[in-house]
Amino acid sequence: MGMGSNRGGSGRVTMSEINVTPMVDVMLVLLIIFMVTAPLIQQGVKVNLPEARAAAVEASDKKLVLSIDAQKRIYIGEAEVPAAELETKLASNAKAQADKELYLHADRDVPYGVVVDVMAAAQRAGITNVGMITDPTTAARAPSSTKGKKEARR
Amino acid sequence: MNAKALLLCLLVSPLAALAQAPVIQISGANFRPLPLALSTPLVQGTESKATTQPVDDALLFDLRASGLFQVLDRASFLADAKEGMTAGSINFSRWADVGAESLVKYSLARDGSELKAEARVFNVGNGREEFKTAQSAPATQPSLLAHKVADAIYRYYTREPSPFLSSITYVRKSGKNKDVWVADWDGRNARQMTSGGINVLPALGPDGVVGYTSYQEGKPDLYVQKGAGLTRLKTNEGQMATGIAFSPDGKRVAYALADGESAQIWVANTEGGGARQLTDTRFGINTSPAWSPDGKRIAFVSNRGGSPQVYVMAADGSGVRRLTFQGNYNQTPSWSPRGDLIAFTARDERNAFDLFTVQVDSGKISRLTQDQGDNEEPSFSPNGRLLIFTSKRAGASQLFVMTAEGNNQMPLPSPKDKAEITTPDWGR
C-alpha cells in the first residue's frame, strides 16, 4: 500500500491514492442476482445450463435474455454481439433500460471470469437485476451424477 | 391481443380487423409513445447515397419530434444489416429484443432527377406488414422526401394530417440587421425573404403569403409578400403599424396601430383597405392579435388592467373578456388550430420567461416550460399538436419544438453560425 513507503521518513504521512479494487467489488455486489427456472425461457441460443438447487423464481418470457455459449460467444436474444459492443448495445436497448433487468443464460462450461465480465458490462449499462437461468430438472438428479459423487466423497 | 387471437380475428372478420388498426392515442393520461425502430435506409443504386443522409436525418427528426413515438436508438439494433424489406425476410424477434413494437423499413432510390422512397410499417408483435407508402421528391430536396414519408406514417397512426409539410417563418439577426426567413417546419431549407434593415414580427398566411413589420421607411409599417410581389399595407399614415396576423381564410389581417401613448387593434383586408378599429382604450396598449381557427374571435394583449394580460374579443371588437389573471406580464398569444387553447409567454416572479397554455373556455392554465432558461413566443403547429418556440437554454435564442402538453422538448437543427432567432410563426 502507498502508505508504507513514508513510514519512518520525515514523519509526514501521505496517502496518494485510494485503492479502488475493493470498491469495484462492492459495486458489482450491488447487482441484484436471482435464480430463474429454465423451462419457461424459450428464447436465446441453446446452451448447457448449470444445475442449481436454489429456490428459483418464475421467469417472464418478455425479459431480455443474454446468452453465453460454451465457445464464450455472447448473444442478445439470438443475435451474436461482440464482447466489446455489449455495453453499448445494452445501454441503448429500450427493453433492457425499461426493465433494468435481464436473464443470463450461460453455458455451464463458460469460465467464471467471462460471466463476471458480462455481468459487469450489464451493470455499467445500467442494468441492476440479473436473473441466472438454471436447469431445475437436472438439479434434482444432480447427486447421482459423477460430479456430484466426487464432490460428496471430498 | 396475442398473435393467435389476431389471426382468428382476421379470419372471422377482415373488416373488423381493419377497423382495429392502431390509432395512437395522441394525448391524455393514457398516452404512451409507441416504441418504433426506424431501420437505416436500404440504398438502391449508387447515385442516391449522397442524399441518403439528409433524408435519414430529416425523417428521424420528424418522427422524434412528433411526440408520438419513442424512436429507438440505432446503436441497440441487433438485426442483420442485410435484412430485407418484406415480412418474410425480417427476423422480428431481433426487433422485439430491442424493445420495438413498430418497425419502419425504408428504401431510397434515384430515378433521373427524382428521389424515391418506399417505406413499410411492420407490427413487431405479430410480424405483419401493416402499411406501406411510396413517395418521391426532386433529388435537390431530400428533406421534402423525408417529410412526405414521415407525413404518411403519422397519418397512418393518427388518422390526422401531420405538421411535417408545413412552413415556419422567423426573424434571424445578422449584425445590425434583422431579416425575415421562411423555412420548412423543421428549420431546414431556409430562404431569406428580406435583405437588410430591421424586419420583425413575421406571419405566414395561406398559400405561402408572408407578412411582416419593416422599418425601411423609418417607422414600422406592414408589408405583405405574395410570390414575387411585395405590397405595403395602407395603414393610417403617421402611425406605427406592427404585428400583422392573417385570418384563417387569408382574407383579413389584424394588427396594432400605435399613436403616441396608445396602441389599438385594427382589422383590414390584405391590401389594407376597409380598415376598422376594434379596441378603443384611450391610454392603453393593445397589441399581438391572434385569430381563433374559425376566424370569429381574436386574442390579444392589453395592459388596460394595469399589466399586460391576454384578452379575447369577437372579430368585430365586441365582447372583450380577460383570459389570464396570473402573473403580471403575459404576452405573445397563439391560438391553437383545435380552438381550445391559447399558448402564451409569461414572466414569473423570478423574472424568467416561460410558456403556458390557457383553456379558452375555462381559463385553466397549464405550465409547459420551467427551469430551462427563458422560453418565449410560442406558435402552434397547423394540427395543434406541437408548439414551436424560442429558448435561450443553450445561449442565444434558438428555435425549439415540443408537444402542446410541454413534453419532448427538442431544438430544431440550428444555423451553423448560431445566429439569434426570434418570433417564429407556424404557417397554417
Side-chain angles (χ1 to χ4, degrees):
Chain A
M1 295 293 279
M3 285 167 71
S5 58
N6 283 325
R7 200 171 290 164
S10 63
R12 271 190 332 192
V13 176
T14 319
M15 190 147 87
S16 57
E17 50 189 64
I18 298 168
N19 186 349
V20 293
T21 317
M23 206 185 292
V24 171
D25 288 344
V26 169
M27 294 302 282
L28 196 57
V29 166
L30 286 179
L31 267 177
I32 296 168
I33 296 165
F34 54 95
M35 295 290 179
V36 181
T37 50
L40 287 165
I41 297 292
Q42 302 300 321
Q43 295 170 259
V45 296
K46 269 208 146 171
V47 297
N48 262 331
L49 288 170
E51 303 151 1
R53 284 200 280 172
V57 296
E58 281 208 358
S60 154
D61 59 359
K62 291 200 172 104
K63 297 280 185 255
L64 199 62
V65 176
L66 206 65
S67 306
I68 312 173
D69 70 8
Q71 285 73 48
K72 302 176 208 167
R73 289 180 298 218
I74 303 164
Y75 301 81
I76 296 176
E78 52 190 59
E80 189 180 346
V81 175
E85 287 176 26
L86 182 63
E87 186 184 337
T88 312
K89 287 282 181 197
L90 291 176
S92 58
N93 187 303
K95 193 169 167 177
Q97 294 302 321
D99 297 340
K100 300 285 177 203
E101 186 169 311
L102 57 77
Y103 292 159
L104 192 56
H105 191 239
D107 194 284
R108 66 203 300 171
D109 294 330
V110 173
Y112 173 67
V114 174
V115 175
V116 169
D117 284 347
V118 166
M119 281 167 54
Q123 196 200 31
R124 286 195 304 273
I127 290 154
T128 48
N129 295 1
V130 174
M132 312 293 284
I133 301 179
T134 55
D135 192 341
T137 51
T138 49
R141 297 194 306 266
S144 64
S145 74
T146 6
K147 210 176 185 181
K149 271 176 198 162
K150 267 183 201 162
E151 297 208 340
R153 245 180 265 142
R154 256 181 229 161
Chain B
M1 189 184 292
N2 63 31
K4 264 185 195 164
L6 190 79
L7 195 66
L8 191 71
C9 181
L10 272 173
L11 290 172
V12 172
S13 168
L15 279 176
L18 269 181
Q20 285 169 4
V23 178
I24 295 185
Q25 181 87 31
I26 290 178
S27 53
N30 295 327
F31 173 71
R32 180 186 70 99
L34 178 73
L36 177 145
L38 175 70
S39 71
T40 48
L42 295 154
V43 182
Q44 296 164 358
T46 49
E47 303 88 354
S48 55
K49 272 186 178 151
T51 40
T52 302
Q53 198 62 47
V55 177
D56 198 45
D57 288 348
L59 183 52
L60 269 172
F61 185 83
D62 284 0
L63 295 178
R64 285 193 178 122
S66 71
L68 297 178
F69 308 111
Q70 178 197 358
V71 180
L72 302 181
D73 189 343
R74 282 178 176 163
S76 73
F77 289 3
L78 300 167
D80 190 332
K82 291 181 206 127
E83 192 178 74
M85 279 196 46
T86 53
S89 68
I90 295 170
N91 187 335
F92 287 100
S93 72
R94 293 194 178 199
W95 293 103
D97 280 336
V98 299
E101 290 178 26
S102 174
L103 168 65
V104 178
K105 286 256 174 178
Y106 81 108
S107 66
L108 291 172
R110 181 79 170 258
D111 183 5
S113 60
E114 289 266 281
L115 194 59
K116 294 188 163 182
E118 189 192 318
R120 294 171 187 238
V121 175
F122 298 92
N123 179 325
V124 173
N126 61 21
R128 274 181 50 212
E129 180 183 312
E130 293 192 321
F131 168 75
K132 73 174 167 188
T133 181
Q135 302 289 339
S136 63
T140 50
Q141 289 178 269
S143 57
L144 175 62
L145 181 63
H147 296 325
K148 286 180 170 181
V149 173
D151 177 68
I153 295 169
Y154 189 99
R155 283 170 186 264
Y156 168 69
Y157 276 114
T158 64
R159 311 289 189 268
E160 275 186 20
S162 81
F164 306 139
L165 293 164
S166 57
S167 299
I168 56 168
T169 182
Y170 53 83
V171 167
R172 187 175 158 173
K173 195 177 167 193
S174 171
K176 285 180 182 171
N177 295 329
K178 287 183 170 187
D179 280 302
V180 172
W181 289 65
V182 172
D184 294 349
W185 92 269
D186 56 354
R188 291 185 168 93
N189 194 21
R191 290 91 66 193
Q192 188 171 351
M193 304 305 287
T194 59
S195 49
I198 301 292
N199 308 280
V200 294
L201 299 171
L204 281 174
D207 305 320
V209 175
V210 188
Y212 54 89
T213 304
S214 178
Y215 285 72
Q216 54 185 270
E217 289 180 21
K219 70 170 184 65
D221 281 308
L222 303 178
Y223 290 81
V224 172
Q225 186 151 359
K226 210 180 251 178
L230 180 67
T231 34
R232 182 170 78 85
L233 250 66
K234 294 176 192 69
T235 53
N236 284 8
E237 296 301 325
Q239 298 196 346
M240 294 183 285
T242 56
I244 193 166
F246 292 94
S247 66
D249 62 5
K251 290 178 179 161
R252 290 173 292 168
V253 293
Y255 52 91
L257 206 55
D259 181 15
E261 291 166 350
S262 86
Q264 306 299 334
I265 307 284
W266 286 65
V267 166
N269 66 34
T270 48
E271 279 79 43
R276 192 177 158 196
Q277 185 176 345
L278 299 190
T279 59
D280 189 10
T281 52
R282 187 159 293 235
F283 296 108
I285 289 175
N286 301 278
T287 182
S288 302
W291 294 84
S292 68
D294 61 5
K296 290 179 178 166
R297 288 187 284 178
I298 292 173
F300 62 102
V301 174
S302 177
N303 68 351
R304 62 185 71 189
S307 67
Q309 297 287 345
V310 178
Y311 288 73
V312 171
M313 63 182 167
D316 63 1
S318 66
V320 176
R321 174 165 73 93
R322 182 172 163 178
L323 198 57
T324 60
F325 291 89
Q326 290 179 348
N328 58 9
Y329 202 89
N330 296 327
Q331 59 180 356
T332 65
S334 169
W335 207 312
S336 166
R338 311 183 81 79
D340 53 344
L341 298 174
I342 289 173
F344 62 98
T345 310
R347 191 176 61 191
D348 69 12
E349 64 284 355
R350 294 175 299 173
N351 274 340
F353 288 94
D354 270 309
L355 302 181
F356 295 78
T357 53
V358 55
Q359 281 182 5
V360 181
D361 293 334
S362 69
K364 190 183 166 229
I365 303 259
S366 299
R367 184 173 198 130
L368 307 184
T369 61
Q370 192 161 21
D371 295 334
Q372 291 261 44
D374 284 333
N375 303 284
E376 295 180 68
E377 302 156 345
S379 181
F380 273 103
S381 66
N383 69 355
R385 298 297 188 190
L386 300 177
L387 279 163
I388 198 172
F389 61 102
T390 57
S391 180
K392 290 178 187 153
R393 65 187 66 180
S397 176
Q398 294 291 325
L399 294 178
F400 278 69
V401 64
M402 63 180 165
T403 68
E405 289 82 34
N407 297 322
N408 203 35
Q409 299 182 13
M410 290 171 63
L412 296 193
S414 58
K416 284 193 182 73
D417 60 0
K418 300 273 177 198
E420 189 151 281
I421 290 179
T422 54
T423 58
D425 183 57
W426 206 327
R428 296 283 178 265

